[in-house]
Amino acid sequence: MIKKKIVLCAVCAALAVLAAFTAAEPAEAKQKAAWNYKKTLTKTSGAFTYHAYPSKKGKEAWIYRIDIQKKKKPTSISIPKKIEGRKVTWIGAKPKDPEGGLNLFGVCIEREHDYFRRSVTNKTIKKIVIPDTVEEIRPSSFCGMIALKSVKIPKKVKALKEEIFYACAGLEEVSLPAGLEKLDPAAFQDCPSLKRMILPKRNKTFRMEGDCVISKKYQRLVYTLPGGQTLSIPEGVKRIGKYALNNCTAPRVEIPASVTEIEGEAFHRPLLGPSTFIKDVEVSADSRMYAKDGQCIYHKVDRSLAVAIPDKKGVLYISEKVESLTNTHSLVNYNSDKGAEKIVFPKALKSVIVPSFSIVEVFRNVYFLGETPPRVSNHISGYASLPFAEHIYVPASSEALYRAWYKENRCKVDEFYWHTFQPGGEI
């Protein structure tokens, strides 16, 4: 079972990463092509040696690596504005392959595996000064700097990309520039001490309200700070973005009536899955779009699952109000060390869009209560259409239908993991 799941996850992760690289912004690709990778510039200052690529036009420099002298324990670093007369405009390592890469200090970052992502980069540096000449900060640049306390993002930086400050456990304060246009919700992932984010009011793209970063144009929740016992999403927010709550550590989240869309994996951590901190989610009784029934928050119009909340034992009963799985759901209250015990799909479930059944991957046992299997659509190469690496339980009277269903969807369950039960019995 474990081997099957690992293979499937690896295939899916590889496809996702390759897709992300294929979909790189043309403007960024054009900028990267402007650098001379065959030549290296070097500058040593104090405990640090900076390595950079010159631009092909010769006026700019891209610092791709910083070495710290052995036995030195610096508490701060000021990245130079120039190297060999060239203005430093880019910082961060150049990705070597789709599987991962290096951060600015040469530490391996393999994005699909948490144990590599948690590699500690530095234990002593508390402050970073990034010059205002910098326009681009590459993904993962400063991840793992556990002593870092505060940082100011240069005014020319327009986008903060994934994992730039991943696992900076001591990071408390960040000053964002007025010109910031894009903020990846994973830029500050696993930063549990981040209590203050300073955003100028004149910023045209985002606004801060409480612990929330919200896009002005779409009223979309982009990011939430950690801390507190309850996160109350501000009234007026219309959309909760994908991964928006990845750094939320509040046990309870309250969704206002103004929310009309909860994007898929809104409560998840990028590549790390369901939230381990959020224990419960509530939705306003005045909401026209969403309601809560039992362990689920569902969309009132299409009866699709939005948020699923297993109990303390890792048991989840999907509400009978849920008729479809549409890739727009999140899972919370998940203990990654223990895993989850079982998930029970209701008789009401009628349709599933691939890969919605990926929700079952953390459960050891999967039950289908319906006498007729749900309709499955949107088959995707590389993704299993149905659960297959868990213990599967179906009504004894419908066993033939479910076996035909698996055959039709080109999925196979080992006989050891195939079970039937009698309707009306305890599930």
Side-chain angles (χ1 to χ4, degrees), residues 362-420:
V362 302
F363 294 90
R364 288 181 282 273
N365 302 284
V366 180
Y367 287 78
F368 292 99
L369 300 187
E371 295 179 0
T372 302
R375 181 178 66 258
V376 178
S377 60
N378 192 45
H379 296 273
I380 302 173
S381 178
Y383 285 86
S385 299
L386 305 178
F388 75 101
E390 298 78 16
H391 286 272
I392 307 299
Y393 295 79
V394 302
S397 58
S398 301
E399 181 180 2
L401 282 176
Y402 276 92
R403 286 186 179 273
W405 184 52
Y406 266 81
K407 185 176 181 180
E408 177 187 346
N409 287 281
R410 299 180 180 180
C411 288
K412 184 178 181 181
V413 177
D414 191 293
E415 285 298 318
F416 178 76
Y417 299 112
W418 185 269
H419 311 276
T420 62

Side-chain angles (χ1 to χ4, degrees), residues 74-357:
T75 58
S76 65
I77 177 173
S78 294
I79 295 175
K81 293 183 178 181
K82 291 185 177 182
I83 290 184
E84 295 187 19
R86 295 169 174 85
K87 182 171 63 174
V88 174
T89 56
W90 277 39
I91 56 175
K94 176 186 176 184
K96 292 187 175 181
D97 56 67
E99 290 285 336
L102 303 174
N103 69 8
L104 197 52
F105 297 87
V107 176
C108 179
I109 305 300
E110 192 174 351
R111 295 185 176 91
E112 283 68 49
H113 300 92
D114 190 24
Y115 47 85
F116 278 113
R117 291 157 60 96
R118 292 188 180 277
S119 297
V120 175
T121 298
N122 181 274
K123 297 180 179 181
T124 63
I125 296 176
K126 297 180 180 180
K127 182 179 180 181
I128 296 174
V129 178
I130 306 173
D132 280 339
T133 56
V134 171
E135 301 172 6
E136 169 84 8
I137 303 177
R138 303 296 299 152
S140 307
S141 289
F142 300 104
C143 67
M145 300 188 71
I146 60 175
L148 185 64
K149 295 295 183 184
S150 65
V151 65
K152 180 180 180 180
I153 307 301
K155 61 184 179 181
K156 292 182 180 180
V157 172
K158 301 294 184 183
L160 285 178
K161 302 182 178 181
E162 70 271 17
E163 300 175 341
I164 288 179
F165 294 97
Y166 173 82
C168 290
L171 185 61
E172 298 175 353
E173 181 178 294
V174 175
S175 294
L176 302 176
L180 188 68
E181 297 174 355
K182 294 182 180 180
L183 172 61
D184 191 296
F188 299 97
Q189 186 178 351
D190 269 12
C191 294
S193 302
L194 185 54
K195 299 298 188 291
R196 190 179 185 206
M197 190 170 275
I198 303 169
L199 178 67
K201 291 184 178 181
R202 64 181 183 277
N203 184 283
K204 295 180 180 180
T205 305
F206 304 108
R207 65 182 177 90
M208 286 286 304
E209 185 171 345
D211 291 334
C212 301
V213 180
I214 303 163
S215 73
K216 290 182 177 180
K217 183 176 181 180
Y218 301 106
Q219 294 302 308
R220 178 177 182 264
L221 181 64
V222 176
Y223 180 79
T224 57
L225 294 174
Q229 290 300 306
T230 300
L231 173 70
S232 296
I233 297 173
E235 184 67 43
V237 169
K238 295 181 179 179
R239 299 167 62 186
I240 302 177
K242 184 175 182 178
Y243 302 141
L245 290 104
N246 80 82
N247 206 34
C248 176
T249 57
R252 177 185 171 92
V253 174
E254 297 176 342
I255 301 173
S258 58
V259 170
T260 58
E261 181 181 358
I262 302 174
E263 296 180 15
E265 299 184 318
F267 292 76
H268 286 203
R269 300 166 298 157
L271 300 175
L272 298 181
S275 172
T276 59
F277 292 103
I278 301 172
K279 307 300 181 185
D280 193 20
V281 181
E282 295 292 339
V283 62
S284 172
D286 297 326
S287 174
R288 294 183 179 182
M289 289 294 180
Y290 293 96
K292 186 174 183 180
D293 183 65
Q295 296 175 275
C296 299
I297 290 176
Y298 67 95
H299 196 286
K300 290 181 178 181
V301 178
D302 64 8
R303 299 286 178 170
S304 62
L305 178 65
V307 184
I309 312 163
D311 63 20
K312 293 180 180 179
K313 295 181 180 179
V315 176
L316 172 62
Y317 287 87
I318 301 297
S319 166
E320 284 288 346
K321 300 286 187 180
V322 173
E323 298 180 1
S324 64
L325 301 181
T326 59
N327 296 324
T328 58
H329 51 259
S330 297
L331 193 68
V332 299
N333 195 32
Y334 170 63
N335 188 323
S336 58
D337 293 327
K338 294 182 179 180
E341 184 59 29
K342 68 179 178 182
I343 181 171
V344 181
F345 289 106
K347 293 180 180 180
L349 185 64
K350 297 178 181 178
S351 63
V352 178
I353 296 176
V354 178
S356 293
F357 271 134

